[in-house]
Amino acid sequence: MNKTETGFTDEKIQKLVLDTILKLGILLALMIWCFHIISPFLYPIIWGIIIAAASYGSFHRLSEKIGHRPTLAAILVTLIFLAVMIVPVVLLTDSMASGVEALADEARQGTLRIPPPPESVAGWPLVGETLHGIWLKASVNIESVLKQFAPQLKAMGSWLLSAAAGAGYGLLQFTLSILIAGLLLANAETSLRAVIALATRLAGKEGVKFVEIAAKTVKGVTRGILGVAIIQGILAGLGFLVAGIPGAGLWAFVAMVLAVIQIGILPVTLPAIIYVFSTAEPLTAILFLVWNIVISTIDNVLKPLLMGKGAVVPIPVIFIGAIGGFMATGILGLFTGAIILSIGYTLYKTWVEQIPVETVSEQVK
């Protein structure tokens, strides 16, 4: 029986290796099992953590004002979030369903009418003449236009049904995320200690610094980017609702998506303004125009106020994160993707900047 320099026999070493492999295998299997169990709730949990981190300052001030009662403050914050987020979404969703149903009924009964286009549409660059011709034809004989674009309309209808189902599931996830955020805020001190302990385990003394950077990034992106986009989407939707635009909820959602990815809501509001000027009274159209001008420019005022001193994240990072998250996990990923990628980018940038430029130059040489 051979012995190594450490005094262990080959047989004992084999047993130790086998024992270690078995332990690691069981641990890995347990981790995979746990992940499989929580995977349906993964994105609501992530979004709940983000909401809790972004609203911690307001929660802490509210808790102090009501006599240092964190549980009551967490309940109040949760109810406020539910009222602010859920009620407008429910109203806009109901409007979208009613609008789609009304359009379907008019199409079946043959009473669907399209107003003729303004002459100014023909002067638009690139698409003006084509759009004016199709619009004019639809105002005279909508059935022929529907037959002409039947495949595209069928594909769009399928997409709208899928988007509506996804919106309902996303609303459920949002509600769950807000409840999770309330639970985390009610146990804020314990949650914060757990995060710092984990970060210290992963990054040593730099762990606390990375937690602070991540918190600033979450606050900046959530308030200055996503918060402003949600405000613009809700205000635009309310304007569509009051103006009587069919499918107001759908267009509000599209406007919010465009605001999140930093394109802006103009691609949605401009056709809506043209539609209102073509169908409504002049006073209503002018008020709707002013309302949308205010909404379109409000981000220039709100972003600096809400972002504060949060980390500055390049627009392409937010764009890729939002689009990638939306494609991967639906409506909730639109928000979590932008934030998670922003956190990753900021932490990576901070980690890289810790390396002296001279050291990098020498290694390249």
Side-chain angles (χ1 to χ4, degrees):
M1 187 178 292
N2 297 327
K3 287 188 176 182
T4 61
E5 295 180 359
T6 58
F8 291 109
T9 62
D10 292 340
E11 184 179 354
K12 193 169 185 179
I13 291 175
Q14 290 176 359
K15 288 182 178 180
L16 287 173
V17 171
L18 181 61
D19 184 61
T20 302
I21 292 174
L22 287 174
K23 288 178 180 178
L24 290 176
I26 293 172
L27 180 61
L28 180 61
L30 181 61
M31 292 174 64
I32 293 174
W33 197 1
C34 291
F35 178 80
H36 181 71
I37 292 172
I38 68 168
S39 58
F41 305 97
L42 185 60
Y43 280 91
I45 290 172
I46 293 173
W47 186 234
I49 293 171
I50 291 169
I51 293 174
S55 59
Y56 177 76
S58 302
F59 157 78
H60 185 67
R61 289 190 293 270
L62 178 61
S63 178
E64 288 182 342
K65 289 183 179 180
I66 61 176
H68 296 281
R69 300 166 69 183
T71 302
L72 179 58
I75 292 173
L76 292 174
V77 170
T78 302
L79 292 176
I80 291 171
F81 271 123
L82 287 173
V84 171
M85 294 290 297
I86 304 303
V87 173
V89 172
V90 170
L91 290 174
L92 293 173
T93 303
D94 181 66
S95 167
M96 180 176 65
S98 300
V100 171
E101 185 178 355
L103 287 174
D105 288 340
E106 291 180 2
R108 282 195 299 266
Q109 297 171 9
T111 59
L112 183 61
R113 296 290 180 266
I114 303 294
E119 293 298 328
S120 59
V121 174
W124 291 3
L126 300 178
V127 298
E129 292 185 3
T130 304
L131 179 61
H132 184 273
I134 295 173
W135 192 342
L136 183 61
K137 186 177 180 181
S139 66
V140 176
N141 187 359
I142 191 171
E143 288 80 7
S144 63
V145 176
L146 292 177
K147 290 179 181 178
Q148 180 181 352
F149 293 97
Q152 293 85 346
L153 292 173
K154 185 177 179 180
M156 182 179 293
S158 301
W159 181 84
L160 288 175
L161 290 174
S162 176
Y169 181 63
L171 180 61
L172 179 62
Q173 287 185 315
F174 266 120
T175 305
L176 181 59
S177 299
I178 292 172
L179 295 176
I180 292 172
L183 291 174
L184 291 173
L185 289 174
N187 302 276
E189 297 299 327
T190 304
S191 302
L192 183 59
R193 283 196 296 268
V195 170
I196 292 176
L198 178 62
T200 303
R201 271 285 188 182
L202 295 174
K205 296 180 180 179
E206 297 292 325
V208 176
K209 178 182 177 182
F210 285 134
V211 170
E212 292 176 352
I213 293 171
K216 287 182 179 179
T217 305
V218 168
K219 290 179 181 179
V221 175
T222 304
R223 296 176 181 178
I225 303 298
L226 304 186
V228 173
I230 291 172
I231 291 172
Q232 285 183 301
I234 291 175
L235 292 179
L238 293 176
F240 298 157
L241 198 62
V242 173
I245 295 177
L250 174 63
W251 303 122
F253 173 72
V254 174
M256 183 182 65
V257 171
L258 294 177
V260 168
I261 62 179
Q262 304 302 292
I263 291 178
I265 65 173
L266 187 61
V268 175
T269 57
L270 184 59
I273 291 170
I274 295 172
Y275 175 82
V276 172
F277 267 93
S278 303
T279 58
E281 297 294 329
L283 179 60
T284 303
I286 292 172
L287 291 175
F288 185 72
L289 172 63
V290 173
W291 176 257
N292 282 282
I293 290 174
V294 172
I295 297 171
S296 299
T297 57
I298 199 173
D299 59 329
N300 296 324
V301 178
L302 290 180
K303 279 183 183 178
L305 292 176
L306 295 177
M307 290 190 73
K309 297 180 180 180
V312 178
V313 180
I315 297 302
V317 173
I318 297 172
F319 178 84
I320 294 171
I323 295 297
F326 180 69
M327 293 175 65
T329 59
I331 184 173
L332 200 61
L334 180 72
F335 304 100
T336 56
I339 294 175
I340 296 300
L341 194 61
S342 297
I343 294 173
Y345 167 81
T346 306
L347 293 179
Y348 171 77
K349 183 180 177 183
T350 303
W351 175 65
V352 169
E353 287 176 350
Q354 291 179 345
I355 303 175
V357 178
E358 294 80 6
T359 303
V360 176
S361 301
E362 291 176 1
Q363 291 178 356
V364 172
K365 293 178 181 178

